[in-house]
Amino acid sequence: GDGEFMVNGRPLAEYFARPSLRAMCLFPFVITQTCGAFDVWLTVKGGGLAGQAGAIKHGLSKALSNFDPFFRPVLKSEKLLIRDPRMVERKKPGQKKARKKFQWV
């Protein structure tokens, strides 16, 4: 490919205005020295921009490790193949939110 990077139908620089988020998205290519070698067209939804950038980083890392098994040790040493296990805690009945209680007077 010629290194085209599209996020939700828009170029990377247009979708992510902050340079730190663009760097986060491109980090798997930088670490494997494959910048500009692949065309990327992807769709992300949900969360905020930082969460979406992290999801893109994780997805690209998994795709690169599936494409070439020699990339796996490099990506694994940078902890790019590990999913963040944190989830939103559920709301409990009789409470306002997950941990917040109703005011008691």
Side-chain angles (χ1 to χ4, degrees):
D2 56 341
E4 185 183 17
F5 203 111
M6 301 291 281
V7 181
N8 292 346
R10 291 161 51 192
L12 179 71
E14 185 184 315
Y15 193 83
F16 292 112
R18 279 190 275 166
S20 59
L21 296 179
R22 287 197 295 258
M24 186 189 293
C25 292
L26 295 173
F27 188 64
F29 292 126
V30 173
I31 206 74
T32 55
Q33 298 172 352
T34 54
C35 286
F38 298 96
D39 287 339
V40 180
W41 193 92
L42 45 90
T43 306
V44 287
K45 28 183 186 177
L49 286 178
Q52 289 181 351
I56 290 171
K57 180 175 78 167
H58 185 253
L60 287 175
S61 301
K62 297 279 272 187
L64 284 171
S65 70
N66 287 340
F67 176 75
D68 189 351
F70 292 109
F71 291 152
R72 187 170 174 77
V74 179
L75 295 165
K76 197 169 182 182
S77 68
E78 291 292 327
K79 296 185 170 80
L80 294 176
L81 300 174
I82 299 170
R83 182 187 170 276
D84 189 356
R86 295 177 294 181
M87 297 287 284
V88 176
E89 192 172 336
R90 76 177 189 88
K91 182 198 173 299
K92 277 72 167 197
Q95 294 183 12
K96 198 172 182 86
K97 290 166 67 176
R99 298 196 178 200
K100 187 175 185 176
K101 312 291 192 282
F102 289 116
Q103 183 175 351
W104 186 82
V105 177

XYZ file of all heavy atoms in Angstrom:
828
model
N 0.814 -1.188 0.000
C 0.000 0.000 0.000
C 0.860 1.254 0.000
O 2.079 1.195 0.128
N 0.185 2.372 -0.084
C 0.905 3.643 -0.093
C 0.788 4.371 1.246
O 1.073 5.563 1.331
C 0.413 4.538 -1.234
C -1.089 4.782 -1.181
O -1.782 3.998 -0.513
O -1.549 5.762 -1.795
N 0.344 3.670 2.313
C 0.326 4.247 3.649
C -0.892 5.098 3.945
O -0.866 5.901 4.880
N -1.976 4.924 3.193
C -3.191 5.694 3.449
C -3.830 5.219 4.751
O -3.942 4.026 5.001
C -4.174 5.516 2.291
C -5.407 6.374 2.407
C -6.387 6.120 1.281
O -6.269 5.083 0.600
O -7.264 6.962 1.097
N -4.235 6.137 5.624
C -4.780 5.806 6.945
C -6.105 6.532 7.114
O -6.124 7.741 7.320
C -3.799 6.235 8.041
C -3.965 5.500 9.345
C -3.002 4.610 9.770
C -5.072 5.715 10.145
C -3.142 3.935 10.974
C -5.225 5.050 11.343
C -4.262 4.155 11.759
N -7.220 5.801 7.009
C -8.557 6.384 7.115
C -9.259 5.859 8.368
O -9.269 4.650 8.620
C -9.396 6.034 5.886
C -8.815 6.503 4.574
S -8.833 8.267 4.384
C -10.523 8.508 3.919
N -9.848 6.790 9.146
C -10.605 6.438 10.344
C -12.032 6.944 10.139
O -12.244 8.153 9.979
C -9.994 7.077 11.607
C -10.779 6.676 12.846
C -8.534 6.694 11.750
N -12.999 6.046 10.129
C -14.409 6.381 9.906
C -14.587 7.227 8.643
O -15.352 8.197 8.625
C -14.996 7.113 11.114
C -15.110 6.206 12.325
O -14.997 4.996 12.219
N -15.332 6.790 13.475
N -13.858 6.911 7.595
C -13.979 7.600 6.316
C -13.262 8.935 6.242
O -13.389 9.647 5.256
N -12.514 9.297 7.280
C -11.771 10.560 7.298
C -10.284 10.268 7.511
O -9.934 9.279 8.160
C -12.287 11.446 8.444
C -13.690 11.948 8.181
C -14.440 12.421 9.405
N -13.720 13.365 10.229
C -14.109 13.712 11.462
N -15.196 13.187 11.986
N -13.426 14.568 12.158
N -9.404 11.113 6.986
C -7.963 10.900 7.204
C -7.610 10.970 8.689
O -8.302 11.631 9.469
C -7.305 12.058 6.444
C -8.336 12.551 5.500
C -9.671 12.248 6.107
N -6.543 10.293 9.060
C -6.125 10.218 10.470
C -5.928 11.598 11.073
O -6.401 11.878 12.181
C -4.830 9.401 10.585
C -4.243 9.254 11.988
C -5.113 8.332 12.822
C -2.832 8.703 11.921
N -5.245 12.498 10.354
C -4.949 13.831 10.881
C -6.218 14.655 11.072
O -6.267 15.520 11.952
C -3.994 14.563 9.950
N -7.240 14.387 10.284
C -8.502 15.119 10.430
C -9.324 14.565 11.588
O -9.953 15.310 12.329
C -9.293 15.014 9.121
C -10.576 15.828 9.102
C -11.354 15.614 7.815
O -10.737 15.622 6.732
O -12.581 15.419 7.914
N -9.316 13.241 11.770
C -10.123 12.611 12.822
C -9.517 12.868 14.199
O -10.229 13.196 15.144
C -10.249 11.107 12.558
C -11.307 10.440 13.414
C -12.644 10.479 13.034
C -10.975 9.788 14.583
C -13.626 9.891 13.819
C -11.946 9.191 15.374
C -13.267 9.247 14.997
O -14.236 8.661 15.768
N -8.205 12.684 14.332
C -7.511 12.928 15.594
C -6.707 14.215 15.463
O -5.651 14.231 14.835
C -6.579 11.763 15.951
C -7.305 10.483 16.284
C -7.214 9.391 15.454
C -8.073 10.380 17.425
C -7.879 8.207 15.757
C -8.743 9.204 17.736
C -8.645 8.124 16.895
N -7.205 15.301 16.064
C -6.533 16.593 15.965
C -5.270 16.633 16.829
O -4.288 17.280 16.475
C -7.483 17.711 16.377
N -5.292 15.919 17.975
C -4.133 15.939 18.881
C -3.012 15.038 18.351
O -3.242 13.871 18.029
C -4.531 15.450 20.271
C -5.194 16.528 21.099
C -5.348 16.093 22.522
N -6.577 15.319 22.644
C -6.887 14.562 23.685
N -6.055 14.450 24.685
N -8.022 13.912 23.724
N -1.798 15.564 18.287
C -0.663 14.749 17.795
C -0.397 13.514 18.657
O 0.033 12.480 18.133
C 0.525 15.709 17.855
C -0.066 17.065 17.870
C -1.404 16.948 18.528
N -0.687 13.590 19.965
C -0.433 12.439 20.833
C -1.337 11.266 20.465
O -0.903 10.101 20.517
C -0.648 12.822 22.296
O -1.975 13.268 22.500
N -2.573 11.544 20.072
C -3.489 10.471 19.679
C -3.089 9.878 18.336
O -3.194 8.662 18.130
C -4.929 10.991 19.619
C -5.532 11.456 20.947
C -6.949 11.961 20.740
C -5.511 10.344 21.973
N -2.606 10.732 17.421
C -2.113 10.212 16.128
C -0.895 9.315 16.349
O -0.770 8.259 15.725
C -1.758 11.371 15.206
C -2.958 12.100 14.666
C -2.606 12.954 13.475
N -1.703 14.044 13.810
C -2.081 15.305 13.963
N -3.338 15.646 13.814
N -1.195 16.228 14.253
N -0.002 9.746 17.248
C 1.194 8.942 17.545
C 0.801 7.607 18.163
O 1.412 6.569 17.867
C 2.118 9.712 18.484
N -0.234 7.613 19.016
C -0.695 6.376 19.639
C -1.213 5.409 18.576
O -0.925 4.204 18.624
C -1.804 6.676 20.655
C -2.235 5.473 21.451
S -3.713 5.726 22.473
C -3.128 6.880 23.668
N -1.944 5.924 17.592
C -2.487 5.070 16.529
C -1.387 4.477 15.656
O -1.491 3.348 15.195
C -3.443 5.868 15.649
S -4.949 6.358 16.469
N -0.336 5.247 15.407
C 0.739 4.806 14.510
C 1.832 4.019 15.223
O 2.739 3.496 14.567
C 1.351 6.027 13.814
C 0.417 6.784 12.874
C 1.064 8.061 12.390
C 0.013 5.910 11.701
N 1.764 3.930 16.551
C 2.838 3.291 17.314
C 3.130 1.845 16.889
O 4.308 1.474 16.789
C 2.532 3.363 18.817
C 3.655 2.911 19.683
C 4.858 3.601 19.689
C 3.533 1.794 20.476
C 5.905 3.187 20.481
C 4.580 1.365 21.274
C 5.767 2.062 21.279
N 2.113 0.998 16.611
C 2.438 -0.368 16.165
C 3.274 -0.401 14.879
O 4.159 -1.250 14.728
C 1.067 -1.010 15.937
C 0.145 -0.240 16.802
C 0.672 1.154 16.826
N 3.010 0.540 13.962
C 3.801 0.593 12.728
C 5.213 1.090 13.004
O 6.176 0.619 12.390
C 3.126 1.502 11.700
C 1.836 0.953 11.169
C 0.677 1.704 11.215
C 1.767 -0.317 10.612
C -0.512 1.204 10.726
C 0.584 -0.826 10.124
C -0.558 -0.065 10.180
N 5.352 2.041 13.922
C 6.674 2.579 14.258
C 7.539 1.495 14.898
O 8.704 1.323 14.536
C 6.534 3.795 15.206
C 7.886 4.256 15.713
C 5.827 4.934 14.505
N 6.955 0.747 15.833
C 7.718 -0.255 16.586
C 8.122 -1.440 15.698
O 9.153 -2.065 15.921
C 6.929 -0.698 17.839
C 7.861 -1.187 18.934
C 5.918 -1.748 17.544
C 8.614 -0.115 19.634
N 7.303 -1.744 14.665
C 7.639 -2.846 13.753
C 8.335 -2.351 12.486
O 8.628 -3.149 11.600
C 6.375 -3.629 13.352
O 5.420 -2.728 12.793
C 5.772 -4.349 14.540
N 8.578 -1.049 12.389
C 9.262 -0.428 11.242
C 8.536 -0.728 9.931
O 9.146 -1.099 8.937
C 10.718 -0.880 11.177
C 11.505 -0.463 12.407
C 12.893 -1.071 12.450
O 13.237 -1.922 11.637
N 13.666 -0.631 13.415
N 7.206 -0.581 9.951
C 6.397 -0.806 8.753
C 5.569 0.433 8.416
O 4.480 0.308 7.846
C 5.460 -2.013 8.952
O 4.699 -1.804 10.152
C 6.225 -3.309 9.033
N 6.056 1.611 8.756
C 5.326 2.854 8.459
C 5.172 3.012 6.948
O 6.140 2.923 6.211
C 6.052 4.065 9.032
S 5.924 4.205 10.805
N 3.940 3.233 6.507
C 3.676 3.435 5.090
C 3.614 2.162 4.268
O 3.427 2.218 3.056
N 3.753 1.012 4.907
C 3.742 -0.249 4.167
C 2.326 -0.781 3.954
O 2.105 -1.614 3.075
C 4.577 -1.298 4.892
N 1.379 -0.305 4.757
C 0.007 -0.811 4.696
C -0.967 0.338 4.515
O -0.756 1.432 5.022
C -0.356 -1.559 5.990
C 0.490 -2.768 6.264
C 1.590 -2.689 7.094
C 0.173 -3.988 5.692
C 2.363 -3.794 7.351
C 0.941 -5.101 5.948
C 2.038 -5.009 6.774
N -2.061 0.067 3.807
C -3.202 0.977 3.774
C -4.138 0.552 4.897
O -4.435 -0.639 5.047
C -3.952 0.884 2.442
C -3.173 1.533 1.304
O -2.294 2.360 1.598
O -3.449 1.208 0.140
N -4.604 1.512 5.688
C -5.476 1.208 6.822
C -6.798 1.932 6.620
O -6.828 3.139 6.407
C -4.823 1.657 8.153
C -5.731 1.333 9.322
C -3.466 1.014 8.331
N -7.906 1.177 6.677
C -9.242 1.738 6.614
C -10.025 1.070 7.722
O -10.245 -0.138 7.696
C -9.877 1.437 5.256
C -11.104 2.236 4.999
C -11.180 3.445 4.360
C -12.442 1.902 5.370
N -12.476 3.875 4.321
C -13.275 2.953 4.939
C -13.024 0.847 6.052
C -14.647 2.957 5.153
C -14.384 0.852 6.267
C -15.178 1.904 5.803
N -10.414 1.846 8.750
C -11.057 1.234 9.904
C -12.214 2.062 10.416
O -12.359 3.235 10.093
C -10.046 0.990 11.019
C -9.072 2.111 11.363
C -9.646 2.993 12.416
C -7.777 1.526 11.823
N -13.042 1.419 11.218
C -14.207 2.044 11.822
C -14.135 1.859 13.333
O -13.896 0.744 13.806
C -15.504 1.389 11.301
O -15.489 1.432 9.879
C -16.726 2.104 11.819
N -14.309 2.958 14.078
C -14.374 2.881 15.536
C -15.616 3.623 16.003
O -16.043 4.596 15.385
C -13.124 3.491 16.215
C -11.925 2.607 16.057
C -12.831 4.879 15.693
N -16.199 3.139 17.107
C -17.324 3.847 17.706
C -17.310 3.615 19.208
O -16.714 2.660 19.694
C -18.674 3.442 17.124
C -18.825 2.072 16.580
C -20.193 1.857 15.991
C -20.329 0.400 15.584
N -21.595 0.031 15.069
N -17.982 4.510 19.917
C -18.076 4.401 21.368
C -16.870 4.994 22.066
O -15.817 5.197 21.466
N -17.044 5.315 23.339
C -15.956 5.873 24.130
C -15.576 7.268 23.679
O -16.281 7.909 22.905
N -14.443 7.751 24.138
C -13.925 9.046 23.731
C -12.832 8.888 22.698
O -12.527 7.769 22.259
N -12.220 9.980 22.316
C -11.164 9.923 21.296
C -9.949 9.145 21.792
O -9.346 8.378 21.036
C -10.755 11.336 20.890
C -11.754 12.083 20.000
C -11.262 13.481 19.710
C -11.967 11.334 18.707
N -9.575 9.334 23.059
C -8.414 8.613 23.597
C -8.681 7.110 23.646
O -7.808 6.294 23.318
C -8.058 9.137 24.981
N -9.889 6.730 24.043
C -10.254 5.314 24.065
C -10.271 4.710 22.675
O -9.853 3.567 22.469
N -10.743 5.486 21.703
C -10.762 5.002 20.327
C -9.343 4.851 19.793
O -9.037 3.881 19.088
C -11.560 5.955 19.442
C -13.046 5.905 19.713
C -13.833 6.829 18.816
O -13.277 7.647 18.092
N -15.152 6.711 18.873
N -8.456 5.788 20.139
C -7.059 5.682 19.710
C -6.416 4.441 20.313
O -5.654 3.721 19.649
C -6.281 6.934 20.091
N -6.712 4.149 21.575
C -6.192 2.939 22.215
C -6.726 1.677 21.559
O -5.999 0.693 21.388
N -7.994 1.702 21.180
C -8.595 0.543 20.496
C -7.956 0.332 19.126
O -7.707 -0.810 18.712
C -10.095 0.747 20.363
N -7.682 1.439 18.423
C -7.015 1.343 17.121
C -5.621 0.749 17.290
O -5.207 -0.136 16.539
C -6.951 2.724 16.444
C -8.353 3.157 16.000
C -5.998 2.721 15.257
C -8.440 4.587 15.523
N -4.898 1.216 18.298
C -3.545 0.710 18.567
C -3.579 -0.789 18.840
O -2.770 -1.554 18.299
C -2.948 1.467 19.761
C -1.552 1.031 20.131
C -0.972 1.887 21.232
C -1.526 1.507 22.566
N -0.788 2.097 23.693
N -4.542 -1.230 19.653
C -4.646 -2.649 19.986
C -5.027 -3.479 18.765
O -4.448 -4.542 18.513
C -5.673 -2.843 21.101
C -5.770 -4.238 21.597
N -6.846 -5.041 21.310
C -4.923 -4.994 22.327
C -6.654 -6.231 21.862
N -5.492 -6.226 22.483
N -5.994 -2.982 17.981
C -6.434 -3.716 16.795
C -5.346 -3.839 15.740
O -5.168 -4.895 15.132
N -4.606 -2.750 15.523
C -3.510 -2.797 14.548
C -2.403 -3.740 15.011
O -1.800 -4.445 14.195
C -2.938 -1.395 14.329
C -3.810 -0.434 13.529
C -3.175 0.947 13.503
C -4.013 -0.946 12.119
N -2.150 -3.763 16.322
C -1.126 -4.669 16.853
C -1.517 -6.121 16.621
O -0.691 -6.938 16.209
C -0.925 -4.416 18.346
O -0.543 -3.092 18.578
N -2.804 -6.445 16.876
C -3.272 -7.812 16.654
C -3.194 -8.172 15.165
O -2.805 -9.286 14.809
C -4.718 -7.953 17.135
C -4.905 -7.725 18.614
C -4.569 -8.912 19.436
C -5.772 -9.791 19.594
N -5.515 -10.877 20.543
N -3.554 -7.210 14.294
C -3.525 -7.472 12.854
C -2.087 -7.691 12.371
O -1.830 -8.590 11.557
C -4.158 -6.310 12.106
N -1.145 -6.887 12.863
C 0.255 -7.049 12.460
C 0.828 -8.373 12.954
O 1.598 -9.022 12.241
C 1.098 -5.889 12.990
C 0.956 -4.564 12.252
C 1.663 -3.458 13.008
C 1.500 -4.673 10.842
N 0.454 -8.800 14.171
C 0.963 -10.074 14.681
C 0.374 -11.250 13.912
O 1.031 -12.280 13.746
C 0.681 -10.212 16.175
O -0.690 -10.385 16.410
N -0.867 -11.112 13.426
C -1.453 -12.159 12.587
C -0.847 -12.160 11.195
O -0.699 -13.221 10.577
C -2.974 -11.975 12.481
C -3.696 -12.335 13.748
O -3.156 -13.061 14.589
N -4.894 -11.835 13.918
N -0.483 -10.985 10.688
C 0.099 -10.872 9.352
C 1.483 -11.501 9.294
O 1.793 -12.252 8.374
C 0.172 -9.394 8.948
C 0.837 -9.157 7.622
C 0.173 -9.442 6.445
C 2.118 -8.660 7.558
C 0.776 -9.234 5.216
C 2.738 -8.446 6.343
C 2.071 -8.735 5.168
N 2.326 -11.179 10.289
C 3.691 -11.706 10.312
C 4.041 -12.128 11.736
O 4.156 -11.281 12.618
C 4.672 -10.625 9.837
C 6.079 -11.158 9.622
O 6.346 -12.313 10.002
O 6.908 -10.413 9.069
N 4.201 -13.429 12.004
C 4.491 -13.898 13.364
C 5.804 -13.346 13.946
O 5.978 -13.345 15.162
C 4.583 -15.417 13.208
C 3.863 -15.716 11.945
C 4.021 -14.532 11.066
N 6.703 -12.849 13.108
C 7.959 -12.297 13.621
C 7.739 -10.951 14.321
O 8.605 -10.505 15.077
C 8.983 -12.137 12.492
C 9.448 -13.454 11.943
C 9.056 -13.872 10.688
C 10.268 -14.290 12.696
C 9.474 -15.092 10.177
C 10.692 -15.513 12.203
C 10.291 -15.916 10.937
N 6.608 -10.303 14.064
C 6.286 -9.046 14.753
C 5.804 -9.282 16.178
O 5.861 -8.381 17.010
C 5.198 -8.271 13.997
C 5.639 -7.706 12.685
C 4.719 -7.512 11.670
C 6.947 -7.346 12.449
C 5.094 -6.974 10.445
C 7.346 -6.824 11.235
C 6.415 -6.631 10.242
N 5.326 -10.487 16.474
C 4.705 -10.769 17.769
C 5.623 -10.480 18.963
O 5.198 -9.810 19.904
C 4.185 -12.199 17.804
C 3.380 -12.512 19.046
C 2.667 -13.855 18.952
N 2.033 -14.184 20.210
C 0.900 -13.655 20.634
N 0.269 -12.785 19.894
N 0.388 -14.004 21.792
N 6.888 -10.949 18.984
C 7.742 -10.660 20.148
C 7.986 -9.159 20.343
O 8.020 -8.680 21.480
C 9.055 -11.384 19.835
C 8.733 -12.372 18.787
C 7.559 -11.847 18.041
N 8.133 -8.431 19.252
C 8.354 -6.981 19.346
C 7.128 -6.304 19.946
O 7.235 -5.471 20.847
C 8.661 -6.398 17.952
C 8.874 -4.909 18.026
C 9.858 -7.076 17.332
N 5.936 -6.667 19.436
C 4.698 -6.073 19.930
C 4.413 -6.499 21.369
O 3.929 -5.699 22.177
C 3.527 -6.475 19.027
C 3.585 -5.938 17.596
C 2.603 -6.669 16.713
C 3.314 -4.452 17.579
N 4.751 -7.748 21.691
C 4.502 -8.247 23.036
C 5.409 -7.570 24.054
O 4.992 -7.294 25.179
C 4.706 -9.756 23.057
C 4.099 -10.437 24.252
C 4.081 -11.938 24.097
C 3.427 -12.554 25.304
N 3.401 -14.001 25.249
N 6.657 -7.272 23.666
C 7.582 -6.612 24.593
C 7.127 -5.192 24.920
O 7.426 -4.670 25.988
C 8.996 -6.580 24.006
O 9.039 -5.719 22.883
N 6.368 -4.567 24.004
C 5.818 -3.222 24.244
C 4.418 -3.278 24.856
O 3.760 -2.253 24.983
C 5.761 -2.438 22.930
C 7.117 -2.058 22.382
C 7.830 -1.028 23.242
O 7.164 -0.174 23.854
O 9.068 -1.095 23.291
N 3.957 -4.512 25.203
C 2.644 -4.736 25.822
C 1.485 -4.230 24.953
O 0.498 -3.707 25.463
C 2.583 -4.085 27.205
C 3.572 -4.693 28.187
C 3.400 -4.107 29.567
C 4.201 -4.864 30.586
N 5.591 -4.531 30.619
N 1.608 -4.388 23.648
C 0.561 -3.922 22.731
C -0.499 -4.986 22.459
O -1.522 -4.686 21.864
C 1.184 -3.473 21.408
C 2.081 -2.248 21.479
C 2.701 -1.966 20.131
C 1.307 -1.043 21.950
N -0.251 -6.222 22.867
C -1.203 -7.294 22.578
C -2.092 -7.606 23.781
O -2.869 -8.556 23.747
C -0.449 -8.559 22.139
C 0.406 -8.394 20.885
C 1.213 -9.650 20.620
C -0.458 -8.052 19.696
N -1.979 -6.806 24.848
C -2.756 -7.039 26.061
C -3.981 -6.127 26.049
O -3.862 -4.913 25.872
C -1.903 -6.755 27.321
C -0.690 -7.678 27.354
C -2.740 -6.926 28.580
C 0.310 -7.320 28.416
N -5.159 -6.695 26.248
C -6.403 -5.920 26.296
C -6.566 -5.354 27.699
O -6.267 -6.021 28.689
C -7.581 -6.810 25.957
C -8.910 -6.088 25.937
C -10.067 -7.078 25.758
N -11.329 -6.433 25.965
C -11.898 -6.235 27.149
N -11.287 -6.622 28.248
N -13.067 -5.644 27.252
N -7.063 -4.126 27.782
C -7.351 -3.502 29.069
C -8.622 -4.138 29.630
O -9.704 -3.995 29.042
C -7.538 -1.997 28.888
C -7.622 -1.257 30.203
O -7.607 -1.924 31.263
O -7.706 -0.019 30.183
N -8.549 -4.866 30.760
C -9.704 -5.633 31.239
C -10.736 -4.818 32.016
O -11.765 -5.355 32.412
C -9.060 -6.670 32.157
C -7.870 -5.973 32.699
C -7.375 -5.091 31.591
N -10.491 -3.519 32.223
C -11.411 -2.739 33.049
C -12.757 -2.567 32.355
O -12.823 -2.295 31.161
C -10.819 -1.363 33.366
C -9.575 -1.457 34.220
C -8.975 -0.109 34.456
N -8.471 0.456 33.206
C -7.869 1.626 33.115
N -7.702 2.366 34.183
N -7.437 2.070 31.953
N -13.822 -2.751 33.113
C -15.176 -2.611 32.600
C -15.959 -1.688 33.527
O -15.619 -1.530 34.694
C -15.887 -3.977 32.559
C -15.252 -4.999 31.634
S -15.519 -4.654 29.918
C -17.200 -5.146 29.743
N -17.042 -1.123 33.010
C -17.905 -0.273 33.820
C -18.644 -1.146 34.820
O -19.198 -2.188 34.466
C -18.918 0.479 32.924
C -19.890 1.290 33.753
C -18.184 1.369 31.948
N -18.637 -0.720 36.089
C -19.338 -1.462 37.124
C -20.833 -1.235 36.982
O -21.276 -0.127 36.685
C -18.846 -0.974 38.493
C -19.268 -1.848 39.640
C -18.608 -1.446 40.949
O -17.530 -0.831 40.915
O -19.183 -1.749 42.006
N -21.624 -2.271 37.208
C -23.062 -2.167 37.000
C -23.723 -1.365 38.114
O -23.237 -1.301 39.241
C -23.689 -3.551 36.898
C -23.833 -4.271 38.225
C -24.547 -5.622 38.027
N -24.887 -6.220 39.311
C -26.021 -5.987 39.966
N -26.923 -5.179 39.478
N -26.263 -6.567 41.127
N -24.869 -0.767 37.771
C -25.674 -0.045 38.750
C -26.410 -1.060 39.616
O -26.965 -2.025 39.103
C -26.672 0.865 38.031
C -27.529 1.684 38.959
C -28.755 2.200 38.238
C -29.700 2.883 39.200
N -30.203 2.008 40.243
N -26.402 -0.835 40.927
C -27.084 -1.746 41.840
C -28.487 -1.216 42.157
O -28.690 -0.011 42.219
C -26.303 -1.878 43.159
C -25.157 -2.880 43.118
C -24.044 -2.389 42.321
C -22.768 -3.184 42.502
N -21.623 -2.424 42.003
N -29.440 -2.120 42.389
C -30.776 -1.667 42.773
C -30.754 -1.034 44.162
O -30.010 -1.488 45.031
C -31.610 -2.953 42.764
C -30.638 -4.065 42.843
C -29.358 -3.567 42.235
N -31.559 0.015 44.355
C -31.597 0.700 45.641
C -30.468 1.706 45.805
O -30.276 2.259 46.880
N -29.696 1.929 44.726
C -28.613 2.910 44.759
C -28.751 3.819 43.554
O -29.358 3.453 42.547
C -27.246 2.222 44.749
C -26.957 1.406 45.977
C -25.565 0.803 45.933
O -24.746 1.158 45.098
N -25.307 -0.132 46.822
N -28.140 5.010 43.680
C -28.228 5.983 42.603
C -27.380 5.555 41.402
O -27.806 5.646 40.260
C -27.769 7.344 43.120
C -28.193 8.517 42.283
C -27.859 9.821 42.992
C -28.305 11.010 42.222
N -29.677 11.400 42.469
N -26.163 5.070 41.672
C -25.246 4.603 40.623
C -24.584 3.324 41.115
O -25.103 2.665 42.016
C -24.222 5.700 40.314
C -24.835 6.917 39.601
C -23.952 8.122 39.572
C -22.721 7.961 38.756
N -21.907 9.171 38.664
N -23.438 2.973 40.558
C -22.776 1.727 40.933
C -22.371 1.724 42.410
O -22.579 0.745 43.121
C -21.555 1.500 40.065
N -21.803 2.848 42.878
C -21.372 2.927 44.272
C -22.024 4.055 45.048
O -22.023 4.050 46.266
C -19.853 3.079 44.331
C -19.165 1.869 43.721
C -17.734 1.788 44.086
N -17.147 0.577 43.504
C -16.048 0.035 43.934
N -15.380 0.564 44.919
N -15.588 -1.050 43.360
N -22.562 5.046 44.331
C -23.186 6.193 44.981
C -24.538 5.782 45.564
O -25.333 5.106 44.908
C -23.361 7.316 43.966
C -23.839 8.623 44.552
C -23.860 9.705 43.494
C -24.217 11.032 44.111
N -24.159 12.124 43.133
N -24.796 6.227 46.800
C -26.061 5.906 47.460
C -26.993 7.105 47.381
O -26.564 8.229 47.141
C -25.817 5.572 48.947
C -24.685 4.587 49.219
C -25.007 3.209 48.747
C -24.040 2.165 49.247
N -22.780 2.115 48.537
N -28.289 6.840 47.602
C -29.233 7.944 47.710
C -28.949 8.701 49.003
O -28.500 8.112 49.998
C -30.668 7.404 47.722
C -31.123 6.852 46.394
C -31.434 5.523 46.236
C -31.244 7.701 45.290
C -31.859 5.029 45.011
C -31.662 7.226 44.072
C -31.973 5.884 43.929
N -29.255 9.997 49.017
C -29.034 10.804 50.216
C -29.977 10.318 51.322
O -31.154 10.090 51.092
C -29.281 12.285 49.906
C -29.002 13.194 51.065
C -29.139 14.650 50.680
O -29.275 14.971 49.497
N -29.095 15.510 51.664
N -29.417 10.191 52.527
C -30.205 9.727 53.660
C -30.260 10.851 54.679
O -29.246 11.375 55.103
C -29.562 8.487 54.274
C -30.374 7.878 55.351
C -31.435 7.033 55.198
C -30.230 8.073 56.760
N -31.955 6.675 56.405
C -31.221 7.317 57.384
C -29.366 8.827 57.540
C -31.381 7.268 58.761
C -29.523 8.789 58.907
C -30.525 8.010 59.513
N -31.500 11.255 55.043
C -31.642 12.343 56.022
C -32.423 11.860 57.203
O -33.386 11.163 57.074
C -32.364 13.567 55.389
C -32.578 14.674 56.426
C -31.572 14.079 54.217
